[in-house]
Amino acid sequence: MKKFLALILSLAMVFSLAACGGNSGSDGAQSSGGQQQSQPADSGSSGGDETYNISVILKTTASEYWKYVVAGAEAYGKEHPNVTVTVKGATSETAYDEQLNMIETDMNNADIDGYVIAPLQADMVTTIIANQTKPIVAVDTDIDAPEVLSFVGTGNEAAGKLGGEAAAKLAKERGWEEIKCIEIAGVQGDSTNEARMAGYKAGIEAAGGVFLSDEIQYANAVADQAVTCMEAIIQNHPEGIAVICANNDDMAMAAARTAAASGNENYKNTVFLGFDGIQSACQSILNGEETMSVCQEGYSMGYNSVDAVVRALQGEKLDEFIDAGASIVDPSTAQARLEQLQGYLA
């Protein structure tokens, strides 16, 4: 009988130890899971059996810059098989209703788990996303709404100032005594456009120049309208202008070509400053047309915005602003930048 009781006690101890070991293993797995949730997606945060369907709605997919954002967002999905990334965008940056319809449709799609939005009209988007409980991340242009967990993009004003200062410095080196700057702007009222404009103005003035605010030319972010704007500038200022800054590279390149074709030698040493640092801009800089560009990292923005939504879905608290950074590309760095961008779209 004693032997029997001893056997029973021994078996009880074995089962108790096994149970403790099982609980310890379970707690460890739970703890590990919590740690994974706090890591970026490219560090393994999207591991496990959870599957996510992320909608990415951009301003447009019709320009080179936005193709880098598309490539970055889609690259995230390729690297994380449990994440389905669907990217769409309006046909142009003035197709407001088209984009709003896309956003409204996807907000009502129960199969979508989270959203990345680059708004054409941020104030209108706030109404559509009101009371949405699924994660929303803004990319490129912020959305002032409590439903938006984070903004992934460029500090546009700071980047514009960086460009304005560099352009004014180069203009002085080219022999300009009066550093006057006129901007060929994007869409009037667009928050990104306004931030870049404020940055350009601050940079030009910090370098001792004058930003001609009363002579801003709005070209709706497209090259053909920038041609018309540049023609008007040349007509109004046959004496030349030291710096022409533009809200994007397409407009800066169009302005530079227009000035060259005009035959007005007073624009020979004008600094044409663009924004985005896209492939065509790099080639234009290498060809001696556009002078320099403020580079923003569209690919990283696309990738990191999807990553942010996934991390939010996994319970991580996001930073309000995720800065993709900015730099200046000029003739000394244009070739290296060109090769980098070609790799993104390969």
Side-chain angles (χ1 to χ4, degrees):
M1 186 64 168
K2 291 180 180 180
K3 290 181 178 180
F4 178 74
L5 289 173
L7 178 61
I8 294 298
L9 288 171
S10 297
L11 289 172
M13 290 177 68
V14 169
F15 285 125
S16 176
L17 288 170
C20 289
N23 287 337
S24 176
S26 175
D27 291 345
Q30 183 66 38
S31 175
S32 174
Q35 291 173 358
Q36 288 176 348
Q37 290 176 358
S38 67
Q39 295 172 352
D42 58 357
S43 298
S45 67
S46 64
D49 297 329
E50 286 290 335
T51 58
Y52 303 111
N53 185 5
I54 311 300
S55 168
V56 179
I57 304 172
L58 304 177
K59 290 184 178 183
T60 184
T61 56
S63 71
E64 184 185 325
Y65 163 72
W66 287 105
K67 291 185 190 304
Y68 297 125
V69 183
V70 172
E74 291 180 343
Y76 187 95
K78 292 175 183 176
E79 292 178 13
H80 302 85
N82 61 317
V83 180
T84 299
V85 179
T86 304
V87 184
K88 59 177 73 74
T91 52
S92 76
E93 291 196 35
T94 54
Y96 307 119
D97 290 342
E98 182 183 0
Q99 192 199 45
L100 292 173
N101 288 335
M102 290 177 178
I103 296 170
E104 186 170 19
T105 298
D106 281 11
M107 285 291 141
N108 293 316
N109 187 339
D111 293 330
I112 295 174
D113 299 302
Y115 306 87
V116 172
I117 302 174
L120 285 172
Q121 292 178 305
D123 55 341
M124 297 296 292
V125 174
T126 59
T127 302
I128 297 176
I129 66 176
N131 301 315
Q132 176 61 257
T133 57
K134 296 175 183 178
I136 300 173
V137 168
V139 66
D140 181 79
T141 300
D142 201 3
I143 305 168
D144 185 13
E147 292 81 7
V148 177
L149 303 181
S150 183
F151 167 47
V152 180
T154 303
N156 283 292
E157 187 167 343
K161 183 178 180 182
L162 183 71
E165 289 177 325
K169 179 181 177 182
L170 181 57
K172 291 177 183 178
E173 293 174 0
R174 288 187 167 190
W176 289 93
E177 294 181 1
E178 287 188 298
I179 309 301
K180 294 181 179 179
C181 174
I182 295 177
E183 178 174 7
I184 299 178
V187 179
Q188 190 166 12
D190 175 75
S191 60
T192 298
N193 179 75
E194 297 300 319
R196 292 177 186 175
M197 184 183 298
Y200 283 150
K201 183 176 186 293
I204 292 292
E205 292 178 348
V210 179
F211 185 88
L212 301 179
S213 299
D214 293 339
E215 299 192 43
I216 293 168
Q217 300 272 340
Y218 287 94
N220 290 320
V222 294
D224 58 347
Q225 292 186 38
V227 170
T228 303
C229 291
M230 191 64 215
E231 289 172 343
I233 291 171
I234 295 170
Q235 182 175 359
N236 293 334
H237 293 276
E239 77 282 4
I241 291 291
V243 178
I244 301 294
C245 62
N247 189 58
N248 64 29
D249 285 323
D250 289 339
M251 292 190 294
M253 288 185 287
R257 288 193 297 268
T258 302
S262 73
N264 188 327
E265 290 295 313
N266 292 327
Y267 283 87
K268 184 177 180 180
N269 290 321
T270 294
V271 174
F272 291 92
L273 170 66
F275 203 112
D276 287 337
I278 58 178
Q279 280 189 55
S280 52
C282 293
Q283 193 60 61
S284 181
I285 291 169
L286 291 170
N287 292 342
E289 299 166 347
E290 184 178 356
T291 316
M292 57 174 53
S293 179
V294 181
C295 300
Q296 59 176 342
E297 303 302 328
Y299 183 93
S300 295
M301 276 192 259
Y303 190 100
N304 290 335
S305 59
V306 177
D307 168 50
V309 173
V310 172
R311 288 189 285 122
L313 286 166
Q314 295 176 334
E316 182 176 336
K317 181 176 174 58
L318 304 177
D319 292 334
E320 290 185 6
F321 175 49
I322 300 173
D323 191 352
S327 60
I328 301 295
V329 62
D330 59 23
S332 68
T333 58
Q335 185 61 43
R337 171 75 176 176
L338 177 61
E339 292 172 1
Q340 179 190 40
L341 294 176
Q342 289 172 337
Y344 289 150
L345 300 182

